[in-house]
PDB file of all heavy atoms in Angstrom:
ATOM      1  N   LYS A 506      -1.963  -1.563  -4.665  1.00 94.00           N
ATOM      2  CA  LYS A 506      -2.048  -2.451  -3.511  1.00 94.00           C
ATOM      3  C   LYS A 506      -0.635  -2.829  -3.080  1.00 94.00           C
ATOM      4  O   LYS A 506       0.251  -3.013  -3.921  1.00 94.00           O
ATOM      5  CB  LYS A 506      -2.845  -3.710  -3.843  1.00 94.00           C
ATOM      6  CG  LYS A 506      -4.314  -3.477  -4.158  1.00 94.00           C
ATOM      7  CD  LYS A 506      -5.012  -4.791  -4.480  1.00 94.00           C
ATOM      8  CE  LYS A 506      -6.483  -4.569  -4.813  1.00 94.00           C
ATOM      9  NZ  LYS A 506      -7.165  -5.846  -5.165  1.00 94.00           N
ATOM     10  N   ILE A 507      -0.428  -2.947  -1.773  1.00 96.00           N
ATOM     11  CA  ILE A 507       0.860  -3.370  -1.232  1.00 96.00           C
ATOM     12  C   ILE A 507       0.792  -4.867  -0.951  1.00 96.00           C
ATOM     13  O   ILE A 507      -0.132  -5.342  -0.271  1.00 96.00           O
ATOM     14  CB  ILE A 507       1.211  -2.617   0.062  1.00 96.00           C
ATOM     15  CG1 ILE A 507       1.017  -1.106  -0.118  1.00 96.00           C
ATOM     16  CG2 ILE A 507       2.640  -2.955   0.494  1.00 96.00           C
ATOM     17  CD1 ILE A 507       1.938  -0.470  -1.107  1.00 96.00           C
ATOM     18  N   LEU A 508       1.769  -5.634  -1.469  1.00 96.00           N
ATOM     19  CA  LEU A 508       1.795  -7.083  -1.312  1.00 96.00           C
ATOM     20  C   LEU A 508       3.017  -7.502  -0.501  1.00 96.00           C
ATOM     21  O   LEU A 508       4.060  -6.837  -0.545  1.00 96.00           O
ATOM     22  CB  LEU A 508       1.843  -7.773  -2.681  1.00 96.00           C
ATOM     23  CG  LEU A 508       0.785  -7.344  -3.713  1.00 96.00           C
ATOM     24  CD1 LEU A 508       1.013  -8.094  -5.016  1.00 96.00           C
ATOM     25  CD2 LEU A 508      -0.626  -7.587  -3.188  1.00 96.00           C
ATOM     26  N   ASN A 509       2.892  -8.615   0.216  1.00 94.00           N
ATOM     27  CA  ASN A 509       4.052  -9.159   0.915  1.00 94.00           C
ATOM     28  C   ASN A 509       4.888 -10.002  -0.057  1.00 94.00           C
ATOM     29  O   ASN A 509       4.550 -10.124  -1.247  1.00 94.00           O
ATOM     30  CB  ASN A 509       3.632  -9.961   2.149  1.00 94.00           C
ATOM     31  CG  ASN A 509       2.721 -11.136   1.809  1.00 94.00           C
ATOM     32  OD1 ASN A 509       2.761 -11.682   0.712  1.00 94.00           O
ATOM     33  ND2 ASN A 509       1.896 -11.529   2.769  1.00 94.00           N
ATOM     34  N   ALA A 510       5.955 -10.603   0.451  1.00 93.00           N
ATOM     35  CA  ALA A 510       6.878 -11.341  -0.417  1.00 93.00           C
ATOM     36  C   ALA A 510       6.226 -12.548  -1.075  1.00 93.00           C
ATOM     37  O   ALA A 510       6.699 -13.040  -2.108  1.00 93.00           O
ATOM     38  CB  ALA A 510       8.103 -11.774   0.380  1.00 93.00           C
ATOM     39  N   LYS A 511       5.108 -13.041  -0.494  1.00 92.00           N
ATOM     40  CA  LYS A 511       4.409 -14.193  -1.059  1.00 92.00           C
ATOM     41  C   LYS A 511       3.345 -13.792  -2.075  1.00 92.00           C
ATOM     42  O   LYS A 511       2.651 -14.650  -2.624  1.00 92.00           O
ATOM     43  CB  LYS A 511       3.777 -15.008   0.066  1.00 92.00           C
ATOM     44  CG  LYS A 511       4.798 -15.629   1.020  1.00 92.00           C
ATOM     45  CD  LYS A 511       4.099 -16.433   2.113  1.00 92.00           C
ATOM     46  CE  LYS A 511       5.113 -17.063   3.066  1.00 92.00           C
ATOM     47  NZ  LYS A 511       4.449 -17.849   4.137  1.00 92.00           N
ATOM     48  N   GLY A 512       3.184 -12.481  -2.290  1.00 93.00           N
ATOM     49  CA  GLY A 512       2.204 -12.004  -3.251  1.00 93.00           C
ATOM     50  C   GLY A 512       0.815 -11.803  -2.698  1.00 93.00           C
ATOM     51  O   GLY A 512      -0.127 -11.529  -3.448  1.00 93.00           O
ATOM     52  N   SER A 513       0.668 -11.917  -1.382  1.00 93.00           N
ATOM     53  CA  SER A 513      -0.630 -11.689  -0.740  1.00 93.00           C
ATOM     54  C   SER A 513      -0.718 -10.248  -0.236  1.00 93.00           C
ATOM     55  O   SER A 513       0.317  -9.616   0.025  1.00 93.00           O
ATOM     56  CB  SER A 513      -0.813 -12.649   0.438  1.00 93.00           C
ATOM     57  OG  SER A 513      -0.747 -13.994   0.003  1.00 93.00           O
ATOM     58  N   PRO A 514      -1.944  -9.692  -0.073  1.00 92.00           N
ATOM     59  CA  PRO A 514      -2.071  -8.327   0.449  1.00 92.00           C
ATOM     60  C   PRO A 514      -1.399  -8.185   1.809  1.00 92.00           C
ATOM     61  O   PRO A 514      -1.594  -9.027   2.692  1.00 92.00           O
ATOM     62  CB  PRO A 514      -3.587  -8.130   0.543  1.00 92.00           C
ATOM     63  CG  PRO A 514      -4.152  -9.061  -0.485  1.00 92.00           C
ATOM     64  CD  PRO A 514      -3.246 -10.265  -0.481  1.00 92.00           C
ATOM     65  N   GLU A 515      -0.601  -7.133   1.980  1.00 92.00           N
ATOM     66  CA  GLU A 515       0.102  -6.883   3.230  1.00 92.00           C
ATOM     67  C   GLU A 515      -0.889  -6.389   4.285  1.00 92.00           C
ATOM     68  O   GLU A 515      -1.535  -5.361   4.108  1.00 92.00           O
ATOM     69  CB  GLU A 515       1.215  -5.853   3.014  1.00 92.00           C
ATOM     70  CG  GLU A 515       1.949  -5.436   4.271  1.00 92.00           C
ATOM     71  CD  GLU A 515       2.514  -6.614   5.046  1.00 92.00           C
ATOM     72  OE1 GLU A 515       3.385  -7.315   4.507  1.00 92.00           O
ATOM     73  OE2 GLU A 515       2.071  -6.820   6.198  1.00 92.00           O
ATOM     74  N   THR A 516      -1.006  -7.145   5.377  1.00 86.00           N
ATOM     75  CA  THR A 516      -2.017  -6.837   6.394  1.00 86.00           C
ATOM     76  C   THR A 516      -1.596  -5.717   7.332  1.00 86.00           C
ATOM     77  O   THR A 516      -2.409  -5.232   8.114  1.00 86.00           O
ATOM     78  CB  THR A 516      -2.334  -8.095   7.222  1.00 86.00           C
ATOM     79  OG1 THR A 516      -1.124  -8.582   7.820  1.00 86.00           O
ATOM     80  CG2 THR A 516      -2.944  -9.175   6.342  1.00 86.00           C
ATOM     81  N   ASN A 517      -0.330  -5.296   7.273  1.00 86.00           N
ATOM     82  CA  ASN A 517       0.140  -4.237   8.174  1.00 86.00           C
ATOM     83  C   ASN A 517      -0.065  -2.830   7.617  1.00 86.00           C
ATOM     84  O   ASN A 517       0.353  -1.860   8.240  1.00 86.00           O
ATOM     85  CB  ASN A 517       1.629  -4.434   8.488  1.00 86.00           C
ATOM     86  CG  ASN A 517       1.845  -5.520   9.526  1.00 86.00           C
ATOM     87  OD1 ASN A 517       1.307  -5.449  10.629  1.00 86.00           O
ATOM     88  ND2 ASN A 517       2.609  -6.533   9.163  1.00 86.00           N
ATOM     89  N   ILE A 518      -0.695  -2.716   6.460  1.00 87.00           N
ATOM     90  CA  ILE A 518      -0.985  -1.399   5.891  1.00 87.00           C
ATOM     91  C   ILE A 518      -2.183  -0.796   6.615  1.00 87.00           C
ATOM     92  O   ILE A 518      -3.204  -1.462   6.837  1.00 87.00           O
ATOM     93  CB  ILE A 518      -1.264  -1.496   4.382  1.00 87.00           C
ATOM     94  CG1 ILE A 518      -0.020  -2.012   3.647  1.00 87.00           C
ATOM     95  CG2 ILE A 518      -1.679  -0.140   3.814  1.00 87.00           C
ATOM     96  CD1 ILE A 518       1.200  -1.129   3.779  1.00 87.00           C
ATOM     97  N   LYS A 519      -2.088   0.486   6.972  1.00 80.00           N
ATOM     98  CA  LYS A 519      -3.136   1.174   7.726  1.00 80.00           C
ATOM     99  C   LYS A 519      -3.936   2.091   6.807  1.00 80.00           C
ATOM    100  O   LYS A 519      -3.370   2.970   6.152  1.00 80.00           O
ATOM    101  CB  LYS A 519      -2.518   2.012   8.850  1.00 80.00           C
ATOM    102  CG  LYS A 519      -1.667   1.200   9.831  1.00 80.00           C
ATOM    103  CD  LYS A 519      -1.175   2.034  10.981  1.00 80.00           C
ATOM    104  CE  LYS A 519      -0.323   3.195  10.573  1.00 80.00           C
ATOM    105  NZ  LYS A 519       0.343   3.844  11.721  1.00 80.00           N
ATOM    106  N   GLY A 520      -5.232   1.865   6.746  1.00 73.00           N
ATOM    107  CA  GLY A 520      -6.094   2.802   6.014  1.00 73.00           C
ATOM    108  C   GLY A 520      -5.884   2.773   4.516  1.00 73.00           C
ATOM    109  O   GLY A 520      -5.359   1.820   3.935  1.00 73.00           O
ATOM    110  N   ASN A 521      -6.319   3.861   3.872  1.00 74.00           N
ATOM    111  CA  ASN A 521      -6.275   3.955   2.416  1.00 74.00           C
ATOM    112  C   ASN A 521      -4.900   4.358   1.911  1.00 74.00           C
ATOM    113  O   ASN A 521      -4.174   5.094   2.577  1.00 74.00           O
ATOM    114  CB  ASN A 521      -7.301   4.988   1.924  1.00 74.00           C
ATOM    115  CG  ASN A 521      -8.704   4.638   2.352  1.00 74.00           C
ATOM    116  OD1 ASN A 521      -9.078   3.474   2.379  1.00 74.00           O
ATOM    117  ND2 ASN A 521      -9.487   5.652   2.707  1.00 74.00           N
ATOM    118  N   ILE A 522      -4.551   3.877   0.734  1.00 85.00           N
ATOM    119  CA  ILE A 522      -3.323   4.295   0.067  1.00 85.00           C
ATOM    120  C   ILE A 522      -3.624   5.578  -0.706  1.00 85.00           C
ATOM    121  O   ILE A 522      -4.587   5.643  -1.471  1.00 85.00           O
ATOM    122  CB  ILE A 522      -2.803   3.194  -0.859  1.00 85.00           C
ATOM    123  CG1 ILE A 522      -2.400   1.965  -0.032  1.00 85.00           C
ATOM    124  CG2 ILE A 522      -1.621   3.682  -1.689  1.00 85.00           C
ATOM    125  CD1 ILE A 522      -2.026   0.754  -0.847  1.00 85.00           C
ATOM    126  N   ILE A 523      -2.811   6.598  -0.501  1.00 81.00           N
ATOM    127  CA  ILE A 523      -3.031   7.902  -1.107  1.00 81.00           C
ATOM    128  C   ILE A 523      -2.173   8.033  -2.365  1.00 81.00           C
ATOM    129  O   ILE A 523      -0.958   7.807  -2.332  1.00 81.00           O
ATOM    130  CB  ILE A 523      -2.681   9.037  -0.128  1.00 81.00           C
ATOM    131  CG1 ILE A 523      -3.523   8.906   1.148  1.00 81.00           C
ATOM    132  CG2 ILE A 523      -2.889  10.397  -0.784  1.00 81.00           C
ATOM    133  CD1 ILE A 523      -5.010   9.021   0.935  1.00 81.00           C
ATOM    134  N   ILE A 524      -2.800   8.395  -3.479  1.00 84.00           N
ATOM    135  CA  ILE A 524      -2.090   8.609  -4.734  1.00 84.00           C
ATOM    136  C   ILE A 524      -2.314  10.045  -5.169  1.00 84.00           C
ATOM    137  O   ILE A 524      -3.454  10.480  -5.331  1.00 84.00           O
ATOM    138  CB  ILE A 524      -2.581   7.656  -5.838  1.00 84.00           C
ATOM    139  CG1 ILE A 524      -2.419   6.199  -5.396  1.00 84.00           C
ATOM    140  CG2 ILE A 524      -1.815   7.895  -7.138  1.00 84.00           C
ATOM    141  CD1 ILE A 524      -3.028   5.194  -6.354  1.00 84.00           C
ATOM    142  N   ASN A 525      -1.226  10.801  -5.310  1.00 75.00           N
ATOM    143  CA  ASN A 525      -1.361  12.146  -5.860  1.00 75.00           C
ATOM    144  C   ASN A 525      -0.532  12.242  -7.132  1.00 75.00           C
ATOM    145  O   ASN A 525      -0.172  11.226  -7.719  1.00 75.00           O
ATOM    146  CB  ASN A 525      -0.986  13.220  -4.830  1.00 75.00           C
ATOM    147  CG  ASN A 525       0.420  13.065  -4.303  1.00 75.00           C
ATOM    148  OD1 ASN A 525       1.328  12.651  -5.022  1.00 75.00           O
ATOM    149  ND2 ASN A 525       0.626  13.398  -3.034  1.00 75.00           N
ATOM    150  N   ASN A 526      -0.201  13.438  -7.555  1.00 69.00           N
ATOM    151  CA  ASN A 526       0.394  13.610  -8.874  1.00 69.00           C
ATOM    152  C   ASN A 526       1.816  13.092  -8.977  1.00 69.00           C
ATOM    153  O   ASN A 526       2.321  12.884 -10.069  1.00 69.00           O
ATOM    154  CB  ASN A 526       0.358  15.098  -9.254  1.00 69.00           C
ATOM    155  CG  ASN A 526       0.441  15.286 -10.750  1.00 69.00           C
ATOM    156  OD1 ASN A 526      -0.158  14.533 -11.506  1.00 69.00           O
ATOM    157  ND2 ASN A 526       1.179  16.293 -11.185  1.00 69.00           N
ATOM    158  N   ALA A 527       2.483  12.856  -7.855  1.00 78.00           N
ATOM    159  CA  ALA A 527       3.876  12.421  -7.932  1.00 78.00           C
ATOM    160  C   ALA A 527       4.244  11.364  -6.908  1.00 78.00           C
ATOM    161  O   ALA A 527       5.347  10.840  -6.945  1.00 78.00           O
ATOM    162  CB  ALA A 527       4.812  13.623  -7.775  1.00 78.00           C
ATOM    163  N   GLN A 528       3.332  11.057  -5.972  1.00 83.00           N
ATOM    164  CA  GLN A 528       3.649  10.094  -4.923  1.00 83.00           C
ATOM    165  C   GLN A 528       2.524   9.085  -4.717  1.00 83.00           C
ATOM    166  O   GLN A 528       1.355   9.386  -4.961  1.00 83.00           O
ATOM    167  CB  GLN A 528       3.901  10.793  -3.578  1.00 83.00           C
ATOM    168  CG  GLN A 528       5.154  11.617  -3.514  1.00 83.00           C
ATOM    169  CD  GLN A 528       4.852  13.088  -3.597  1.00 83.00           C
ATOM    170  OE1 GLN A 528       3.745  13.521  -3.320  1.00 83.00           O
ATOM    171  NE2 GLN A 528       5.830  13.867  -3.992  1.00 83.00           N
ATOM    172  N   VAL A 529       2.934   7.916  -4.271  1.00 90.00           N
ATOM    173  CA  VAL A 529       2.015   6.930  -3.719  1.00 90.00           C
ATOM    174  C   VAL A 529       2.418   6.783  -2.257  1.00 90.00           C
ATOM    175  O   VAL A 529       3.558   6.428  -1.949  1.00 90.00           O
ATOM    176  CB  VAL A 529       2.122   5.583  -4.451  1.00 90.00           C
ATOM    177  CG1 VAL A 529       1.208   4.547  -3.804  1.00 90.00           C
ATOM    178  CG2 VAL A 529       1.784   5.747  -5.930  1.00 90.00           C
ATOM    179  N   LEU A 530       1.502   7.085  -1.341  1.00 85.00           N
ATOM    180  CA  LEU A 530       1.822   7.123   0.080  1.00 85.00           C
ATOM    181  C   LEU A 530       0.956   6.123   0.839  1.00 85.00           C
ATOM    182  O   LEU A 530      -0.270   6.161   0.759  1.00 85.00           O
ATOM    183  CB  LEU A 530       1.599   8.527   0.643  1.00 85.00           C
ATOM    184  CG  LEU A 530       1.818   8.709   2.146  1.00 85.00           C
ATOM    185  CD1 LEU A 530       3.262   8.432   2.525  1.00 85.00           C
ATOM    186  CD2 LEU A 530       1.420  10.129   2.570  1.00 85.00           C
ATOM    187  N   ALA A 531       1.617   5.226   1.562  1.00 88.00           N
ATOM    188  CA  ALA A 531       0.911   4.260   2.403  1.00 88.00           C
ATOM    189  C   ALA A 531       1.475   4.335   3.807  1.00 88.00           C
ATOM    190  O   ALA A 531       2.686   4.530   3.990  1.00 88.00           O
ATOM    191  CB  ALA A 531       1.060   2.850   1.842  1.00 88.00           C
TER     192      ALA A 531
END
């Protein structure tokens, strides 16, 4: 999950976060 500086979920993230064998892509 991507969080803002206050520790809350970042609302500017679009769609699903993709995790593959070497990258996390948001």
